[in-house]
């Protein structure tokens, strides 16, 4: 198969030799990959690694995104989702509303709830624990992937608990794993501009380490296409690789394309499909200890995600149904796809679709109740004044 590789950029030849020999790439080689415009050679190498690990299999899952609130104290420049409590468009769902949306997801066959929201100034940590307990009590068969490292850090602060104590309380309430959001770019220079009020990059890594130590696996992400440099992308990936060497707690890595619309960084052009495919490919080549690389179709479009399945990705995410965060930032993709849609996309890319659960165990639909076609719930926003009154 190596004889099929055509390299236009001579700087890639020694890298190709290392990849085909199964050797680990270093920071300088990662930078060369990002700086090269020989996308086909970089993609070929990433696809070689991908097929060595997974053959033609492409994973997807039936999941439901639940964003409990968009009220957030962080005011990150990169974000179009967060709102002040009384700003137009601010919302907070009641627990009953969230449980109703979760029931819709279960009827549609969801095996996972992906729960991420804003850092609400008036919701105590116990409210989130009660939410998780309620979900686990009602839907014990569904995996609860809930709360980013940023949210964990915020909960620890408002509850006056250590990070370990906070994570243990979440696990005891029913959280099964953590999503990978909020990592953005670890470089302090970048975080000072795009997300100054979030946890630092080192704190994100520390929270992830502690989560893995208490038995909560997580995903990892990198937000690219804003003000970061190629060197800072490589640094980000190598920090993740080092932590994975230490804990083996990351499940999958998801490169996230920055959507600038409706943010304070709206003057920045969106990443191109070329950027998206390179991000997938370089991630696959540098993250040699990550089993799975995800092409998140919500952000890179279903069509580009299809192509990414030949550039190193072995996962295309899930049905999603009601994604809010990136659509507020101008994402023009659908808010959800059906199981049939996902399988069609995967087969059209020449891959074999395999439905997985959150931890990449194969799902046998013959052992589960029949799925109902997705039906979008009407938004039922809870006025902030009512929410605050209910907490007092």
């Amino acid at each position: 198969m190596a004889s099929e590789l055509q390299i236009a950029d001579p700087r890639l030849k020694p890298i190709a030799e290392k990849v085909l020999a199964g050797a680990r790439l270093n920071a300088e080689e990662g930078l060369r990959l990002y700086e090269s415009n020989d996308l086909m050679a970089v993609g070929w190498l990433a696809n070689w690694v991908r097929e060595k690990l997974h053959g033609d299999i492409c994973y997807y899952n039936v999941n439901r995104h639940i964003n409990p609130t968009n009220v957030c104290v962080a005011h990150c420049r990169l974000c179009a989702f967060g709102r002040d409590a009384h700003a137009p468009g601010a919302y907070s769902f009641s627990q009953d509303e969230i449980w109703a949306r979760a029931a819709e997801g279960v009827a549609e066959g969801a095996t996972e709830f992906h729960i991420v929201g804003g850092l609400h100034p008036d919701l105590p940590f116990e409210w989130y624990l009660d939410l998780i307990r309620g979900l686990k009590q009602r839907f014990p068969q569904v995996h609860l992937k809930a709360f980013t490292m940023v949210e964990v850090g915020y909960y620890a602060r408002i509850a006056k608990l250590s990070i370990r104590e906070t994570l243990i309380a979440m696990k005891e309430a029913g959280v099964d794993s953590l999503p990978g959001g909020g990592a953005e770019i670890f470089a302090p220079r970048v975080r000072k501009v795009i997300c100054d009020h979030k946890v630092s990059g080192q704190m994100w890594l520390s929270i992830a380490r502690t989560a893995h130590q208490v038995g909560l696996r997580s995903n990892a992400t990198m937000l690219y296409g804003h003000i970061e440099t190629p060197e800072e992308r490589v640094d980000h990936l190598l920090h993740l690789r080092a932590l994975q060497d230490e804990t083996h707690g990351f499940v999958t890595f998801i490169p996230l394309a920055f959507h600038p619309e409706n943010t304070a960084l709206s003057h920045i052009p969106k990443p191109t499909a070329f950027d998206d495919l390179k991000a997938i490919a370089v991630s696959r080549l540098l993250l040699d200890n990550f089993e799975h690389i995800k092409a998140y179709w919500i952000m890179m479009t279903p069509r580009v995600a299809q192509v990414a399945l030949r550039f190193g990705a072995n996962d295309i995410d899930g049905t999603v149904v009601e994604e809010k965060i990136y659509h507020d930032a101008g994402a023009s993709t659908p808010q959800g796809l059906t199981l049939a849609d996902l399988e069609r996309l995967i087969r059209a890319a020449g891959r074999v679709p395999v439905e997985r659960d959150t931890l990449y165990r194969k799902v046998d639909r013959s052992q589960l109740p029949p799925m109902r076609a997705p039906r979008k719930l009407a938004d039922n926003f809870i006025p902030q004044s009512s929410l605050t009154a209910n907490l007092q």
Side-chain angles (χ1 to χ4, degrees), residues 164-295:
R164 181 175 292 271
E165 290 169 335
T166 303
L167 288 162
I168 290 173
M170 288 166 43
K171 184 178 179 183
E172 290 176 347
V175 169
D176 295 304
S177 70
L178 277 64
E184 322 307 4
I185 290 286
F186 293 141
R189 179 194 74 86
V190 177
R191 296 185 84 83
K192 187 174 182 179
V193 174
I194 67 172
C195 56
D196 193 30
H197 299 295
K198 282 185 177 178
V199 297
S200 68
Q202 287 303 312
M203 188 61 180
W204 191 101
L205 290 162
S206 177
I207 294 171
R209 176 183 293 107
T210 305
H212 300 167
Q213 289 171 348
V214 303
L216 288 169
R217 301 192 71 188
S218 74
N219 289 341
T221 61
M222 177 180 73
L223 186 72
Y224 64 90
H226 40 91
I227 67 166
E228 85 287 358
T229 64
E231 291 89 347
E232 287 163 338
R233 291 186 193 181
V234 171
D235 174 76
H236 185 99
L237 293 172
L238 294 189
H239 271 94
L240 290 174
R241 189 172 77 179
L243 184 54
Q244 182 74 328
D245 279 342
E246 177 186 340
T247 68
H248 308 288
F250 289 119
V251 179
T252 189
F253 175 73
I254 311 108
L256 301 174
F258 177 57
H259 281 253
E261 290 93 334
N262 304 318
T263 76
L265 301 172
S266 59
H267 60 283
I268 295 175
K270 292 173 61 174
T272 64
F274 190 97
D275 298 325
D276 295 338
L277 295 175
K278 185 184 285 188
I280 290 284
V282 176
S283 301
R284 179 63 285 168
L285 292 170
L286 280 182
L287 297 179
D288 52 34
N289 53 4
F290 276 67
E291 188 172 357
H292 306 288
I293 304 292
K294 183 183 293 185

Side-chain angles (χ1 to χ4, degrees), residues 112-133:
E112 170 193 289
F113 297 142
H114 177 110
I115 306 170
V116 172
L119 310 180
H120 199 296
D122 298 319
L123 291 177
F125 181 41
E126 193 63 30
W127 187 90
Y128 295 95
L129 295 180
D130 285 342
L131 171 64
I132 294 297
R133 293 186 191 106

Side-chain angles (χ1 to χ4, degrees), residues 32-79:
R32 263 187 267 163
L33 289 169
Y34 267 123
E35 291 178 339
S36 176
N37 287 324
D38 191 355
L39 181 61
M40 297 310 295
V42 176
W44 190 99
L45 289 169
N47 186 59
W48 186 86
V49 174
R50 178 244 192 272
E51 292 188 352
K52 184 179 178 182
L53 290 170
H54 303 287
D56 277 331
I57 288 175
C58 175
Y59 293 100
Y60 70 93
N61 70 336
V62 180
N63 60 347
R64 179 84 180 217
H65 279 219
I66 299 174
N67 305 125
T69 180
N70 67 350
V71 175
C72 188
V73 299
H75 302 108
C76 297
R77 296 189 73 202
L78 61 81
C79 183

